[in-house]
Each structure stands twice: as structure tokens, then as C-alpha cells.
Amino acid sequence: MTSVNRNSLQGKVAVVAGATRGAGRAIAVTLGTAGATVYCTGRSVRGNPSDLQRSETIEDTAELVTACGGKGIPVRTDHTVEEEVKALFEQVRTEQEGQLDILVNDLWGGEHLTEWGVPFWESSLAKGLLMQERAVRGHMITSYYGAPLMVARQSGLIIEVTDGISYNYRGNLYYSLAKISPIHLAAAMNEELRPYHVTALAVTPGFLRSEQMLEHFGVEEENWQDAIAQEPHYAESETPYFLAQGIAALAADPQVAAKAGRVWSSWSLSDEYGYRDIDGRKPHWGNYAQAQGLPVN
């Protein structure tokens, strides 16, 4: 499915928080393709979906990881509940003898919480705060319990997945706060983790063709280009596996510490590591947005 080296992460242990669908699922599967053992976490399990009421589950993701050559382990976890996160990492500590090499924070759950076009004082405060609960506080709790395993072994990589490469406004106050915060979390965590040889950084996709976005446009991955008539910028969209391959490349890069504390885009990682999207394309949202006069947040 991807162009990653199937042995590049052999023997590595990863936790992908928010692995149910979208970029999280692709990241988990791609790390598995590279040979890693991947704990796939999220709220949606078979017979008990999250409040998003979608069909994807962490069991599905874990099975894909295993089918691609890794070892997928599903662990139902609400990352806003401290005790559940603590239990997750205790499980990792016990089962993997304290080894944790990669932690990917891809928690979101804000798809139905963002009220585009509504000023913050007229929108739902409850929705705005819940977005921060999931996309900021959840990330903080997860790193709080995951980092000690890495610090103890003086090795590891924490990746914050966000939307955008800047601190610019993203069209909605609550959404902006939720997506800018992981960039600073990565930078700040890295300052405190650096003495322990643990690296933290942030990554972003471009215009993502997630399951939910495909559904929004009424298309499937096989005919995604039909959506360009509705949204011309969709022509430069990318599958979740485009960013996922960049993350696998970062995790396998012995010089990854040189990238610490910054935010990296799927297109810049593609330029550096030389991979293509799984459909053979090489989308570059940065160049496209600049040519179209769009802000590259």
C-alpha cells in the first residue's frame, strides 16, 4: 500500500492515539507496514461507537496493521479520561517491558464541534471548550503518561498531528486554538525532553481526503476527483497515507532530532524523503496554495 521500507521500524513499539480513522488509521497502518508493534487507541470499538457515530473502529485499524506485517493491538481509550490513559501506558509498560519508541498524538473529534462562519461570542461555548478538551487537553494527558517511558530509556519520538504550519488564524477561534496548540506543545515539550534524548515535533497534512471528507463530497477514494467540481482546491488533496509515510520516515531517521521542536508538512517531508502518495501522485499543498494566492496556515 505504501512505499515505506518494511523493515525500517522492526522491533519498535508505537502508540497512535486517535487511530480509529483518517490520518490516525493511516499512520498506524504505515508504522505497522514498516514492522512496528502499534497500539491503536480511540473511543470507537465494535458495538460501541463514539459520539461521532461512524462505522470505523480501532479493532479494524489493528487488524489492518497486522495484515500489513506489523502487530496491531487495539486498546479502547478515551484520552480525556486520565485513568484510562494511565492504564493504557501501564499496559504498554508491562507488555513491552517498558519500551515505547513512538507516540503519535492524533486526537481530534472536533468535526461536528466547529461552527464555521459564526463569531466566537455567538457560537456554542460548550462545543468550543469540548474541542479544546479533546484536541489540547487530551494531547497533554497522553504525553504526560507516555513521556516517562521514553525518558527512562533515554530515547523516543513524540509527534503532534495538527492542521497547518503557522500560528495564523484558521477561520474559527476555537478551531485555531485547537490546531495551533499542538504546534506549541511540540516545541515546549521538546525543550524539556531534549536532555533525555527524546524528540518532540509536530506534523500537518495538506487538504486531506479522509473518510469523512470523502463522505462530505459524496465520493469514494476511487472517484475522488469528481468532487473537484464542487471544490476546485480538492484537485491538490492527498490521502491520509501521504502524511503517514512522512511520519514513518521520521521515525526511522537516525537524525530526526535535527527536526525537533518544529512543525513539518506532508509535502515538505515528501520532498525530503522522496515518497509519493499511494495513488502515485505527489501533491504539494504549499506550492499550490502559494500559486493560488491562498494562505498556508
Side-chain angles (χ1 to χ4, degrees):
M1 179 177 288
T2 69
S3 60
V4 300
N5 184 324
R6 290 187 174 271
N7 298 311
S8 59
L9 297 176
Q10 195 71 41
K12 300 296 185 180
V13 178
V15 169
V16 179
T20 313
R21 64 186 68 83
R25 170 172 287 187
I27 293 163
V29 171
T30 304
L31 294 176
T33 301
T37 293
V38 186
Y39 286 80
C40 306
T41 74
R43 295 178 296 146
S44 293
V45 294
R46 290 169 183 165
N48 186 19
S50 74
D51 62 322
L52 299 180
Q53 294 298 313
R54 292 190 58 85
S55 62
E56 302 91 355
T57 69
I58 57 171
E59 293 98 335
D60 297 337
T61 302
E63 288 174 1
L64 288 169
V65 170
T66 301
C68 287
K71 181 179 180 182
I73 303 173
V75 182
R76 198 273 178 195
T77 310
D78 183 336
H79 286 263
T80 67
V81 179
E82 186 176 347
E83 287 305 312
E84 293 189 19
V85 179
K86 182 179 181 180
L88 163 67
F89 287 104
E90 282 301 322
Q91 179 177 341
V92 175
R93 186 192 304 274
T94 300
E95 294 177 351
Q96 305 302 327
E97 299 181 344
Q99 180 180 351
L100 176 62
D101 302 288
I102 307 155
L103 170 57
V104 181
N105 268 320
D106 186 47
L107 305 164
W108 173 223
E111 295 91 339
H112 302 300
L113 301 176
T114 311
E115 298 179 88
W116 300 107
V118 182
F120 72 88
W121 63 91
E122 293 180 359
S123 59
S124 167
L125 178 60
K127 288 182 177 180
L129 293 177
L130 180 55
M131 195 186 304
Q132 312 316 307
E133 177 83 3
R134 292 176 175 176
V136 182
R137 185 172 177 270
H139 285 225
M140 294 173 69
I141 294 171
T142 302
S143 294
Y144 180 87
Y145 284 103
L149 277 71
M150 297 179 170
V151 168
R153 299 179 74 245
Q154 299 274 295
S155 175
L157 174 63
I158 298 177
I159 296 179
E160 290 284 327
V161 180
T162 187
D163 177 18
I165 58 175
S166 75
Y167 284 79
N168 296 339
Y169 174 67
R170 287 157 168 70
N172 175 278
L173 183 150
Y174 298 114
Y175 184 87
S176 291
L177 183 58
K179 293 303 184 180
I180 290 170
S181 293
I183 297 176
H184 188 67
L185 280 175
M189 283 194 296
N190 190 69
E191 291 298 318
E192 300 185 14
L193 289 168
R194 186 187 298 116
Y196 304 96
H197 308 290
V198 177
T199 297
L201 54 81
V203 298
T204 181
F207 198 157
L208 194 66
R209 289 205 306 275
S210 64
E211 299 94 336
Q212 190 155 14
M213 189 58 69
L214 290 166
E215 186 176 285
H216 171 75
F217 286 121
V219 294
E220 304 286 343
E221 178 58 31
E222 293 72 22
N223 68 323
W224 69 267
Q225 292 177 325
D226 292 348
I228 296 173
Q230 303 175 56
E231 172 51 79
H233 299 317
Y234 210 49
E236 199 66 13
S237 65
E238 61 193 58
T239 78
Y241 287 90
F242 194 52
L243 176 63
Q245 290 177 92
I247 288 175
L250 287 168
D253 188 345
Q255 305 300 321
V256 69
K259 293 180 169 58
R262 289 178 283 170
V263 57
W264 300 88
S265 65
S266 57
W267 57 92
S268 67
L269 294 173
S270 170
D271 287 343
E272 177 168 353
Y273 291 110
Y275 63 86
R276 290 181 171 272
D277 206 341
I278 58 172
D279 60 3
R281 298 169 60 253
K282 195 174 175 68
H284 197 295
W285 182 256
N287 287 345
Y288 176 83
Q290 186 175 24
Q292 296 289 319
L294 301 172
V296 183
N297 290 323

